[in-house]
Amino acid sequence: MPGSVTGTPVDLETYRRGRKFIHVDIEPTQIGKGVSSRTWAIVGHAKPTLAALDAYARHSTSQRNPGTWTERVSELRSTLLRRDDFDDVPIKPPRVYREINEVFGPDTTFVTRSGSTRSGRASSSRPFRPRHYLVCGQAGPLGWEIPAAIGSSAPTRTSRWWPSSVDYSFQFLMEEIAVAAQYQIPFVIVMVNNEYLGLIRQAELGYDMNYAVDLHYGEGGIDHVQAHGGVRCPARRVEQPGEIADALRWATLEAEAAQLPVLVEIMVRSGRPNAAMGPSLNNIKEFEPVPDLVPVEAP
């Protein structure tokens, strides 16, 4: 579904132009909301509905080989990558995701929820296998990533589950850390801390507002490292980009050895970054420097 956290109305006309939509939902009252009158509505469970659509498509069309555009898309996905080699201090979040991609191996399962962290992970994540990137979907509940990581990692009791968090989301359900500690469920939490409600702040920009989104107070707001230590779990804070990789490796080994959740809090620029988005599909604003790109049209 289209949506906006840019503080401006969504350009649905561009989103709808030349397209028809198949809207599948288990809840009938949600059909057609926010999309188009040119919507084919199906009320049902996702799995059997998708299986039926796949069978119908295979029956209705002859077997075809993938065209050149399929190959071109694969090439673009591997070459048109956002920059992540920033050495800035305070740290820029793309650098965090770069280090995560390099440190964690193919057995790692990534768990993330709503907000700027999910936006960053969606554009930078490189999961290797199916069902190894768990995201809550929709607007997403704050704090979801912690109990989701507990449920995901409990059967194996290994540290290969990595929940992505931000400051306020961590605060929402940080009591669940004690549950993981009590039942000895290990995972590594990487907190990207910008001391702000990032996407809510971004939604206010169009109205020239900055209201009730700043989490900083005193000399630094909540000390998450001490809060995590309060339930007898290891934690470390990182403020230099060159220290990220070592901290992630330390956390992985520590979680495995202690059979506890381990926190790596990475301090990034306060109030930033804005997520790359815009009011229209053809009007996306990038807030970080990007490589020089040549527009490519589909055939």
Side-chain angles (χ1 to χ4, degrees):
M1 290 296 181
S4 174
V5 291
T6 62
T8 56
V10 177
D11 176 13
L12 287 177
E13 181 56 35
T14 299
Y15 183 80
R16 296 166 176 164
R17 188 179 301 128
R19 297 177 175 91
K20 292 183 179 180
F21 298 88
I22 300 176
H23 187 175
V24 179
D25 203 302
I26 196 170
E27 172 51 56
T29 62
Q30 299 301 309
I31 295 294
K33 286 188 176 180
V35 184
S36 172
S37 58
R38 301 199 314 164
T39 299
W40 298 336
I42 301 176
V43 178
H45 290 272
K47 185 174 182 178
T49 301
L50 291 174
L53 288 172
D54 178 68
Y56 179 81
R58 293 177 184 276
H59 176 75
S60 303
T61 61
S62 58
Q63 185 70 32
R64 294 176 295 178
N65 293 321
T68 57
W69 178 241
T70 304
E71 297 177 358
R72 181 64 173 145
V73 168
S74 296
E75 178 187 351
L76 295 174
R77 289 183 65 185
S78 64
T79 57
L80 299 186
L81 303 175
R82 285 191 169 94
R83 279 192 58 192
D84 59 9
D85 57 348
F86 302 108
D87 292 324
D88 302 58
V89 178
I91 299 168
K92 287 191 174 184
R95 177 61 184 269
V96 178
Y97 304 129
R98 172 195 178 107
E99 301 290 347
I100 288 167
N101 289 330
E102 292 180 353
V103 169
F104 292 115
D107 290 334
T108 304
T109 299
F110 300 99
V111 184
T112 187
R113 50 97 207 156
S114 62
S116 56
T117 302
R118 186 180 70 180
S119 299
R121 288 302 307 154
S123 62
S124 305
S125 178
R126 299 177 194 170
F128 294 90
R129 297 174 179 171
R131 300 183 181 89
H132 279 53
Y133 180 65
L134 309 181
V135 60
C136 56
Q138 297 292 335
L142 287 163
W144 178 90
E145 65 274 18
I146 303 301
I150 292 174
S152 301
S153 58
T156 62
R157 303 298 174 105
T158 67
S159 61
R160 291 193 292 267
W161 272 259
W162 174 81
S164 160
S165 186
V166 291
D167 40 12
Y168 198 58
S169 184
F170 179 85
Q171 296 168 23
F172 236 71
L173 284 175
M174 62 184 178
E175 71 273 12
E176 299 297 336
I177 300 296
V179 176
Q182 181 177 358
Y183 290 95
Q184 295 184 299
I185 301 176
F187 48 84
V188 176
I189 307 166
V190 181
M191 177 190 296
V192 182
N193 186 357
N194 67 351
E195 301 181 311
Y196 254 84
L197 299 177
L199 283 190
I200 298 175
R201 171 194 167 276
Q202 189 167 348
E204 295 181 351
L205 294 179
Y207 303 100
D208 195 27
M209 293 171 57
N210 189 32
Y211 178 74
V213 290
D214 186 352
L215 302 178
H216 183 98
Y217 61 88
E219 295 186 1
I222 290 180
D223 189 327
H224 298 100
V225 170
Q226 286 203 22
H228 200 74
V231 290
R232 305 295 189 269
C233 292
R236 180 182 292 185
R237 180 178 295 110
V238 176
E239 298 180 346
Q240 299 291 327
E243 299 174 357
I244 299 173
D246 286 344
L248 297 179
R249 294 188 184 98
W250 163 82
T252 302
L253 295 174
E254 191 72 16
E256 198 75 50
Q259 289 292 286
L260 292 171
V262 178
L263 170 69
V264 176
E265 179 185 26
I266 303 176
M267 305 302 297
V268 299
R269 185 178 176 187
S270 181
R272 300 291 193 278
N274 295 310
M277 60 179 66
S280 176
L281 287 176
N282 60 4
N283 186 22
I284 302 298
K285 183 176 180 181
E286 295 280 352
F287 294 90
E288 298 288 359
V290 297
D292 293 331
L293 306 179
V294 178
V296 177
E297 297 293 337

